[in-house]
Amino acid sequence: MSKKVYSGISVGSRTDTGEIREHNEDSLLVKDPLFVIADGMGGHAAGEVASELAVKAFEKAEIDSLDINTLKRAVAEANIAILRGAQAGLGRMGMGTTLTAAVIEKDSVLVAQVGDSRAYIMQNGELRQVTRDHSLVEELLSSGQITEEEAVNHPNRSVITRALGIDNNIQADTYELRLHDGDRMLLCSDGLNTMLDDEEIESVLLKNPDPQAAADALVEAAKVAGGFDNITVIVININSVDAQSEAKRKRRFIRNIVAFVLVFVLLISAAIGGIYLYAQNSAFLIAENDRVVVYRGLPGDFMGLKFRWIEKTTDISVTQLSETVAGNLKNGIEVGTLDNANKIITDYENQIKKTTR
Ligand code: MN
């Protein structure tokens, strides 16, 4: 069984004969949004036929939304399919099967159950059994006739009180649950939960976030614990549609940031390039160490960058110039081109000559 990714749901599943039995009488169906486990019984491989007939009836039922009547009708059809199958010589008379079916739609799951295959839900790392077994042990337990410990090792723990294929009247228990992003569901046949207690199942699930890895690990753990019965598991990780669009929103946000940064960098580069070209064709005069200095470029900084190249330091002292000119030269006087700069320098020199003459 390979992992399949559905919209908002990822699933892992596995079925195994176990270590003792000769046949695998369990059947499973993974047909998003429908997930079914059936654990057949009847001896001489008739259980295989019963569970397969049940699963096939569900496959045909076209269950694609949370409708309790559709689900109950599918249970009834599966029941009839087994009864008719037995009459037609498929399997054996008296063959039967458990059935645990889950339909998931958006943030809800609907479970139908007959027998002792289970549905569990894991929320915030805590595993909880959703279904109640239709078994002798469960009845003795709930009526207080035996203790939890006695239930675990009860000689009749595999006796179920309800099954498909026994008679025409079949009543499935149904459960409806609200699902949240990050929830996980586990459907399993009793070959899992008779070999592992709930804490062990929980711990295996926690160790395996991937649903297929979890399904494989659960089956392996049940086999290591003895594998007395067939083991079938379906693990469903719920990644709600909301969570998906949330992830999409995050991706879009990051894309926008990257695009913004790129555009910003391009604009800055263009601005720097523009200033550089402009500076190349500009000139200014400035007072440095009392001398008038000619620069190509622009006075001041642009985002911490200087666009200026010294052209020449003249012999003119600012003290030789008028106070106004000297004052302006402190911050630099933009003069347009280098030619202009040279002309102004010549003017200064002429003025100085005049005053000293
Ligand atoms: Mn079983």
Side-chain angles (χ1 to χ4, degrees):
M1 293 285 144
S2 64
K3 182 188 162 192
K4 290 178 180 176
V5 179
Y6 302 108
S7 58
I9 293 172
S10 51
V11 187
S13 63
R14 192 165 148 194
T15 185
D16 196 286
T17 307
E19 303 289 13
I20 310 290
R21 300 283 174 88
E22 280 180 25
H23 302 278
N24 188 349
E25 300 191 315
D26 289 356
S27 293
L28 81 154
L29 174 66
V30 172
K31 190 189 174 195
D32 180 40
L34 173 67
F35 308 93
V36 183
I37 279 185
D39 177 351
M41 71 207 99
H44 299 274
E48 248 172 294
V49 177
S51 67
E52 209 178 301
L53 285 170
V55 158
K56 278 192 176 147
F58 268 80
E59 205 169 358
K60 270 193 283 182
E62 289 182 6
I63 297 166
D64 52 12
S65 65
L66 283 199
D67 180 53
I68 200 156
N69 293 322
T70 312
L71 195 57
K72 282 187 166 174
R73 207 176 305 131
V75 173
E77 276 160 16
N79 186 45
I80 289 165
I82 298 162
L83 288 168
R84 285 195 187 142
Q87 282 161 10
L90 291 174
R92 278 179 145 202
M93 293 299 277
M95 66 180 176
T97 185
T98 70
L99 183 113
T100 300
V103 193
I104 295 173
E105 189 181 30
K106 286 179 189 156
D107 59 350
S108 295
V109 60
L110 190 58
V111 177
Q113 194 229 357
V114 176
D116 66 350
S117 297
R118 290 180 174 177
Y120 287 91
I121 188 159
M122 185 177 239
Q123 290 181 313
N124 304 316
E126 266 178 50
L127 189 71
R128 181 169 63 85
Q129 190 180 332
V130 172
T131 52
R132 239 192 78 189
D133 297 345
H134 298 137
S135 68
L136 182 65
V137 163
E138 177 62 36
E139 281 183 8
L140 293 172
L141 199 59
S142 58
S143 62
Q145 296 178 62
I146 57 166
T147 63
E148 291 268 1
E149 287 95 66
E150 285 170 326
V152 173
N153 295 311
H154 199 279
N156 294 325
R157 66 178 181 181
S158 63
V159 174
I160 58 174
T161 51
R162 254 194 250 180
L164 295 187
I166 307 305
D167 60 50
N168 278 310
N169 293 316
I170 187 71
Q171 193 64 49
D173 285 347
T174 56
Y175 305 85
E176 189 165 1
L177 291 174
R178 189 41 76 84
L179 296 171
H180 304 92
D181 184 35
D183 286 357
R184 305 175 81 184
M185 290 214 58
L186 166 68
L187 306 186
C188 66
S189 63
D190 68 334
L192 181 77
N193 58 267
T194 51
M195 291 293 111
L196 305 177
D197 63 29
D198 288 4
E199 284 97 275
E200 289 169 320
I201 294 172
E202 181 184 277
S203 129
V204 173
L205 283 171
L206 286 173
K207 274 184 218 148
N208 295 278
D210 176 77
Q212 188 56 53
D216 292 339
L218 284 169
V219 168
E220 286 311 317
K223 287 169 82 171
V224 168
F228 293 165
D229 193 4
N230 308 143
I231 310 143
T232 303
V233 298
I234 301 176
V235 178
I236 308 158
N237 286 9
I238 311 298
N239 319 298
S240 72
V241 175
D242 276 356
Q244 282 208 327
S245 54
E246 181 65 28
K248 259 185 212 157
R249 261 202 299 281
K250 267 186 198 156
R251 275 201 297 278
R252 203 178 304 135
F253 179 72
I254 289 165
R255 259 207 307 276
N256 286 346
I257 294 273
V258 168
F260 179 81
V261 167
L262 276 176
V263 167
F264 187 76
V265 165
L266 279 172
L267 284 175
I268 295 290
S269 309
I272 290 171
I275 294 169
Y276 179 83
L277 283 176
Y278 179 68
Q280 283 282 323
N281 297 303
S282 301
F284 68 96
L285 305 174
I286 196 161
E288 275 179 7
N289 302 320
D290 221 29
R291 292 295 176 82
V292 177
V293 181
V294 180
Y295 273 92
R296 191 151 50 88
L298 301 163
D301 290 5
F302 297 86
M303 295 173 291
L305 299 170
K306 288 176 174 35
F307 294 87
R308 74 177 68 150
W309 304 270
I310 195 157
E311 196 66 26
K312 67 177 173 191
T313 304
T314 67
D315 295 329
I316 304 165
S317 165
V318 281
T319 55
Q320 296 172 289
L321 301 168
S322 76
E323 267 179 47
T324 318
V325 172
N328 289 342
L329 279 169
K330 271 184 199 164
N331 298 319
I333 303 168
E334 288 185 62
V335 294
T337 61
L338 269 179
D339 279 355
N340 286 349
N342 289 325
K343 273 179 208 154
I344 292 165
I345 291 296
T346 310
D347 280 352
Y348 288 170
E349 283 166 349
N350 288 337
Q351 278 168 35
I352 294 162
K353 272 180 206 159
K354 265 185 214 159
T355 48
T356 50
R357 197 176 286 152

